[in-house]
Amino acid sequence: GSSGRDPRSLHVVHMTAEMAPIAKVGGLGDVVTGLARACLARGHNVEVMLPFYESLPEDQIEDLHHERDFDCPKGRVWDGQMQHSSLRTSVFGGKIDGIPVLLLRPDWDTCNIFRGGRIYGGSYNELEAYLYFSRACLEFLRISGRQPEVIHAHEWQLSAVPMLYWDVYHAGGLSRPRVMLTIHNMDNSGECRQEEFAYTGIPGEAFATVDKALDERTIGHNPERLCLMKGGIIYSNAVTTVSPTYAREALEGGAAGWLRSTLAKPEVRGKFKGLLNGIDTALWDPATDPLIPAPYTPERLEGKALCKRYLQQGLGLDVNPDKPMIACITRLVPQKGIHLIRHAVYRTAQLGGQFLLLGSGHADGNFRAMAANDFKDSRDVRIMVMYSEQLAHLMYAAADMVLVPSLFEPCGLTQLVAMRYGAIPIVRSTGGLADTVTDVDAGSEDGNGYSFSGMDNASLNTALDRAMQTFKENRDRWTELSQRNMRIDWSWEKSAGSYVDIYNQLSSY
Ligand code: ADP
């Protein structure tokens, strides 16, 4: 209905390296799609600018059509001299999952940027690629005559956008937009040598001061280094990160590393905020999910039992509704608590449960060996080192519990998806996990999972063991909790409102 529409319609252009479902590596992709869809539904004009990676499945892009070509200014430093050039760039329009996109592809006769079989880790230089992409997005806005109210840049990859916008484009014809930066993870802040910045076609010297993008760690021994995220923070009109606790950890703890002093500057403090992510309830809905064998709702949970049975059968596990099934769906990087995941596999097996790990990434050697040696013909443990959207959906639907033992977690989406699918989250209480999971034994009414705080195995046991015990000894309580969790509203509705508030503040100047 029209009740969900905002009084003032804004034009918002996202610039991002990822977008779910077809250009997704992790949560960044989910957030862009979920937020864009929610803002479209509220009556805003939203476009998403994304690299046209060679790996994108073109048959999943609706209305794909060529928009125009242009020459994107570029540069490099050679022998200490800035050399200017340009890169022919093609722009394609279309829709991904119903959301308008603008896909940018450089001329592959002269470069390899964005080529290869996957999104990251191709044979091209990633820093060069995203600096070029940042420039190309702005250049396209300028030549296409777009004047959105808000340019919404994401992560270190697009952090040069606010810098280039205010230093070059604002005076150069793109006068209306204000720029917002969302930081999804401060782990990678985009280190960049001054001369590398020249890939944008603008010399890096312009930004090499402490009040701009100079990387303060390097003062005295390497005055050449810039930090894109610092520049992005300084130059943006608003900066958000993806949960209130992560924002606090950035300001008061170690989450932002040395960027803490940048975020704590009074002029930044006032424009920096943590807004909790939502989940895309169109892509994540057990009542309509085409990727699961039996749909279900909190009122009719039989489908969930069928999904568990289906997965147990399909994976050759012991088919038993009474064995607690724990799923862990994650990128295998240190952030995600790899040693705790390992430990949980053994602990779960020891306690008579089933453990399914779906892990993507390169830090997978140990898991492959573990699968081959310790759980080769196991009827209770499956370790799958791969990325699979299909399996992820099946696992959320089948699982009784979802484990998220992150060492740090800006927001985390898996615990939210878990709840929507009626699985109980077991999490380490940090960042967005602390904002969204309340321990059922902590005495508050809104308990929805199990949490622990230490980084050691014994801490994890305090949560895992309680969950397993409740599942085995009090199934009625378990089912009730599962139904209650499914009804919690984790949709983008609320958070999108907070983003729109910021868009409105920015564009009312
Ligand atoms: P991050 O962005 O750090 O990876 P999030 O919890 O914010 O963590 O988002 C992770 C998203 O990626 C979730 O939608 C999750 O289901 C998905 N995901 C993670 N690993 C895999 C995998 N191996 N296969 C399929 N989906 C995955």
Side-chain angles (χ1 to χ4, degrees):
S2 60
S3 57
R5 294 178 91 81
D6 289 323
R8 177 168 171 240
S9 173
L10 302 166
H11 183 191
V12 179
V13 176
H14 290 271
M15 300 179 180
T16 175
E18 292 182 34
M19 180 178 181
I22 63 170
K24 162 178 159 177
V25 177
L28 166 62
D30 289 305
V31 170
V32 170
T33 299
L35 175 59
R37 197 195 309 281
C39 289
L40 282 166
R42 299 170 78 108
H44 300 285
N45 171 12
V46 183
E47 294 176 295
V48 178
M49 300 191 76
L50 181 74
F52 201 159
Y53 298 104
E54 190 176 26
S55 60
L56 294 196
E58 292 188 11
D59 58 339
Q60 289 178 49
I61 304 167
E62 306 131 58
D63 310 330
L64 182 64
H65 61 273
H66 180 247
E67 289 253 343
R68 70 184 293 164
D69 294 339
F70 68 95
D71 291 315
C72 180
K74 213 168 165 289
R76 63 171 185 167
V77 172
W78 190 250
D79 250 355
Q81 294 294 314
M82 175 88 188
Q83 298 184 331
H84 292 273
S85 60
S86 68
L87 183 49
R88 192 79 184 152
T89 300
S90 302
V91 185
F92 295 81
K95 285 185 174 182
I96 291 178
D97 223 51
I99 296 160
V101 292
L102 291 160
L103 301 164
L104 271 58
R105 171 174 281 182
D107 176 9
W108 285 335
D109 289 337
T110 56
C111 77
N112 266 331
I113 288 174
F114 302 136
R115 296 202 74 172
R118 54 188 165 168
I119 293 192
Y120 302 131
S123 61
Y124 55 88
N125 172 341
E126 235 167 61
L127 185 61
E128 175 184 9
Y130 290 111
L131 286 173
Y132 149 74
F133 179 64
S134 297
R135 177 78 195 248
C137 285
L138 287 167
E139 186 66 14
F140 176 74
L141 287 193
R142 187 182 68 80
I143 59 173
S144 66
R146 281 174 170 74
Q147 295 278 2
E149 271 91 4
V150 178
I151 293 172
H152 193 159
H154 294 270
E155 210 68 327
W156 74 267
Q157 289 99 333
L158 276 302
S159 285
V161 165
M163 301 162 71
L164 296 172
Y165 176 73
W166 286 111
D167 247 36
V168 181
Y169 280 87
H170 181 64
L174 250 184
S175 53
R176 187 206 246 172
R178 295 294 178 270
V179 190
M180 170 157 174
L181 175 69
T182 294
I183 302 172
H184 300 256
N185 197 325
M186 307 196 191
D187 215 19
N188 186 344
S189 57
E191 287 172 31
C192 170
R193 289 199 315 277
Q194 247 183 72
E195 58 177 57
E196 289 172 312
F197 196 87
Y199 291 131
T200 62
I202 305 294
E205 282 83 354
F207 300 100
T209 57
V210 177
D211 61 328
K212 293 182 174 170
L214 191 71
D215 185 331
E216 288 156 54
R217 280 171 305 184
T218 65
I219 294 174
H221 58 99
N222 190 349
E224 292 282 290
R225 286 223 173 249
L226 303 179
C227 170
L228 296 177
M229 203 172 261
K230 177 179 172 182
I233 291 168
I234 299 282
Y235 277 81
S236 288
N237 300 98
V239 181
T240 63
T241 190
V242 291
S243 72
T245 295
Y246 191 59
R248 207 165 38 247
E249 289 169 351
L251 286 165
E252 294 165 12
W258 68 274
L259 275 176
R260 174 177 167 174
S261 60
T262 301
L263 291 169
K265 286 175 196 271
E267 66 274 24
V268 174
R269 190 65 203 83
K271 67 179 183 184
F272 175 58
K273 211 170 170 180
L275 301 181
L276 197 65
N277 285 336
I279 52 174
D280 187 332
T281 47
L283 285 177
W284 297 111
D285 183 358
T288 58
D289 193 331
L291 298 177
I292 64 175
Y296 59 95
T297 61
E299 293 72 37
R300 298 193 55 108
L301 268 180
E302 300 83 2
K304 186 165 175 67
L306 280 171
C307 290
K308 181 171 175 181
R309 192 186 163 78
Y310 177 88
L311 195 60
Q312 283 173 329
Q313 257 165 357
L315 294 176
L317 299 173
D318 185 16
V319 179
N320 181 347
D322 297 326
K323 276 195 177 170
M325 178 190 279
I326 304 191
C328 180
I329 297 151
T330 186
R331 293 183 297 123
L332 291 172
V333 293
Q335 170 193 342
K336 302 296 181 180
I338 289 185
H339 69 284
L340 291 173
I341 296 172
R342 275 180 72 81
H343 167 72
V345 176
Y346 291 102
R347 182 76 182 172
T348 303
Q350 193 188 355
L351 294 174
Q354 296 184 325
F355 199 104
L356 306 183
L357 170 64
L358 179 62
S360 47
H362 301 296
D364 56 12
N366 283 334
F367 285 104
R368 285 193 207 266
M370 196 171 152
N373 301 331
D374 296 351
F375 298 104
K376 192 159 172 288
D377 299 309
S378 171
R379 303 271 288 156
D380 290 317
V381 174
R382 274 299 168 278
I383 294 171
M384 297 163 283
V385 180
M386 63 169 117
Y387 181 92
S388 165
E389 197 72 33
Q390 163 91 54
L391 261 173
H393 282 250
L394 278 172
M395 283 168 64
Y396 286 116
D400 300 298
M401 305 158 202
V402 166
L403 177 70
V404 196
S406 306
L407 304 185
F408 72 92
E409 192 58 78
C411 178
L413 299 173
T414 49
Q415 80 279 15
L416 306 181
V417 175
M419 287 188 246
R420 182 147 170 90
Y421 280 70
I424 311 304
I426 302 173
V427 308
R428 191 169 164 269
S429 197
T430 179
L433 296 168
D435 287 323
T436 53
V437 177
T438 306
D439 197 290
V440 292
D441 294 326
S444 99
E445 293 258 300
D446 53 357
N448 56 9
Y450 294 86
S451 62
F452 61 99
S453 355
M455 294 195 184
D456 54 313
N457 296 347
S459 295
L460 182 138
N461 291 351
T462 63
L464 182 69
D465 293 10
R466 280 185 295 125
M468 298 280 271
Q469 193 181 0
T470 307
F471 180 89
K472 286 187 191 160
E473 293 172 7
N474 199 343
R475 278 299 271 282
D476 289 345
R477 181 175 176 215
W478 190 271
T479 305
E480 217 173 281
L481 181 59
S482 167
Q483 288 168 318
R484 197 143 51 84
N485 278 3
M486 289 184 73
R487 294 191 179 105
I488 303 176
D489 180 4
W490 295 116
S491 73
W492 267 101
E493 197 50 42
K494 216 159 81 194
S495 301
S498 310
Y499 277 94
V500 170
D501 287 344
I502 297 181
Y503 294 160
N504 271 314
Q505 282 162 23
L506 293 186
S507 57
S508 63
Y509 294 138

